[in-house]
Amino acid sequence: MPVISSLDKARRQRAIQLNVADRVRRVGQFVLGKLAQKRSGLGSSDKADLPAAPLVVGINGPQGSGKTTMVRGLVDYLRAHKVSTVGFSLDDIYLTNAEQRNLAQTHTLNPLLQYRGQPGTHDVELGRSTLMSLIRNTGPTAIPAYDKSRYGGYGDRVPREQWTQVQPPVDVVLFEGWCLGFQSLDSAEFARYIERVHGGSVMYKYSRKFSDDNLAQVNANLGSYERELYPLIDAWVWARAADLDVVYRWRKEQEDELAAQGHDSLSDQQLEDFVTRFMPGYEMAMPKLDLCGFISSGLIPEHDTLRMHLDLNRNVVAFDHQL
């Protein structure tokens, strides 16, 4: 029996590796195509003595969907094609521990802002300045980093002197995050959302755990992301899960993997509390993303988004550009 179990595990691992490799190849081809489009549309640069601005790609997908793994693979894939690539995450620009504690104290009645995760718990200006430095492509850029293990798992930003220094020129920037690309709802859209939250639909079961004011604050926080970050992003890759309830299972698999490796991991109750705080963001933002797509720089003439449809086992069952 242990032999069969071991073989099954090896087969599953092999299937995952093949799936990741195919995903990286398909997304890598998309990125190379968009890089060529941007360069052909803008010329090599506005000034002959300056390098061309890089293609900035936003990558959205739920927790546990494989974003980080895919970014690592894409960096290797693109570099193998002689394309200088840097990747970082929305997680890397979380507020410092002190800033997050201050935010929590300022919003004591909002459970969604007590810990890192939701829009409003990131240093948007740090994200913008990092992207702008990379886009200017004329000097070194310090890439922020965040250590989630500090302060007993509450996390803190890594000291600046330990950030990775990226040297120009950079051809592609990969910027990923679970809520990157989420857009705020206007007053009429938010009113309809709240009406559905209180209407008993299972589609909004997590949002019902929080007050209207809690949800309104998170919605309002998205405004700065829309103004400061999204117009800097040229193209998008979207890992679209078929069923958002699978987020809990995917995160549990990650925690079980950590435990099996001897690392600290969340208990089932801690994991449920953790995921529950993220889910209203999905319920609020996903319908608008499905309907309207992403905000971008407008420098890519058409089909600036590649959508990957994921099944319950993270397999990509289809790619499309239709939003």
Side-chain angles (χ1 to χ4, degrees):
M1 193 67 177
V3 174
I4 295 175
S5 176
S6 177
L7 286 173
D8 285 347
K9 183 177 180 180
R11 290 192 186 102
R12 285 197 300 272
Q13 191 62 36
R14 177 60 176 161
I16 291 171
Q17 291 171 347
L18 290 172
N19 185 273
V20 170
D22 182 63
R23 187 182 308 190
V24 166
R25 180 182 60 82
R26 292 287 298 270
V27 175
Q29 291 172 347
F30 169 79
V31 171
L32 289 173
K34 297 306 156 186
L35 176 61
Q37 279 188 347
K38 182 174 182 180
R39 286 181 169 171
S40 65
L42 297 180
S44 59
S45 69
D46 293 332
K47 296 182 179 179
D49 58 341
L50 295 179
L55 176 80
V56 181
V57 182
I59 300 176
N60 174 284
Q63 293 100 323
S65 60
K67 297 185 303 298
T68 303
T69 300
M70 184 174 69
V71 167
R72 284 197 297 263
L74 281 170
V75 169
D76 292 340
Y77 178 91
L78 293 168
R79 287 176 178 172
H81 285 75
K82 310 302 181 186
V83 174
S84 175
T85 305
V86 59
F88 72 110
S89 171
L90 199 60
D91 290 0
D92 294 322
I93 61 169
Y94 276 133
L95 298 174
T96 65
N97 184 271
E99 291 168 339
Q100 178 58 52
R101 283 189 282 110
N102 182 63
L103 178 72
Q105 291 168 3
T106 306
H107 298 84
T108 54
L109 299 180
N110 194 338
L112 295 171
L113 298 177
Q114 295 306 298
Y115 307 101
R116 68 177 189 266
Q118 284 285 354
T121 65
H122 304 93
D123 187 336
V124 173
E125 181 51 42
L126 175 60
R128 179 177 175 82
S129 64
T130 302
L131 287 173
M132 287 300 298
S133 177
L134 291 166
I135 289 169
R136 283 193 292 269
N137 228 356
T138 56
T141 299
I143 304 298
Y146 192 88
D147 184 350
K148 296 179 182 179
S149 69
R150 298 191 66 189
Y151 290 95
Y154 287 96
D156 198 7
R157 191 177 301 154
V158 172
R160 190 179 184 90
E161 59 269 20
Q162 297 177 25
W163 296 2
T164 299
Q165 294 285 331
V166 173
Q167 300 296 329
V170 173
D171 299 313
V172 171
V173 177
L174 304 173
F175 186 31
E176 60 96 349
W178 78 275
C179 64
L180 189 67
F182 284 9
Q183 299 164 39
S184 61
L185 306 180
D186 63 28
S187 57
E189 291 169 333
F190 187 77
R192 286 194 295 272
Y193 160 69
I194 290 298
E195 182 180 351
R196 291 163 184 160
V197 167
H198 296 297
S201 169
V202 70
M203 292 179 62
Y204 300 94
K205 60 185 178 183
Y206 293 101
S207 298
R208 275 195 293 278
K209 297 177 183 289
F210 303 94
S211 73
D212 294 359
D213 287 343
N214 293 164
L215 300 168
Q217 182 62 61
V218 171
N219 181 59
N221 289 344
L222 281 168
S224 63
Y225 296 66
E226 295 176 62
R227 293 188 302 270
E228 306 299 330
L229 298 179
Y230 303 166
L232 304 179
I233 297 174
D234 302 308
W236 290 89
V237 175
W238 185 14
R240 178 65 165 96
D243 183 347
L244 290 175
D245 280 338
V246 80
V247 170
Y248 176 84
R249 194 188 88 192
W250 287 350
R251 277 306 307 250
K252 179 164 175 54
E253 288 172 358
Q254 289 182 325
E255 295 300 322
D256 289 347
E257 181 88 14
L258 286 172
Q261 295 172 358
H263 300 300
D264 291 339
S265 62
L266 298 176
S267 68
D268 287 350
Q269 183 59 53
Q270 288 173 322
L271 179 60
E272 183 175 355
D273 292 343
F274 177 81
V275 173
T276 297
R277 284 189 290 105
F278 282 82
M279 296 306 290
Y282 294 114
E283 293 176 345
M284 189 186 304
M286 295 299 282
K288 187 167 184 175
L289 268 189
D290 281 327
L291 184 65
C292 303
F294 293 87
I295 296 171
S296 63
S297 67
L299 298 178
I300 303 298
E302 61 180 355
H303 299 321
D304 64 1
T305 300
L306 176 65
R307 180 167 53 182
M308 303 181 294
H309 296 269
L310 305 183
D311 67 13
L312 300 183
N313 295 311
R314 300 188 191 85
N315 297 310
V316 180
V317 295
F319 290 88
D320 68 47
H321 300 281
Q322 304 304 314
L323 294 177

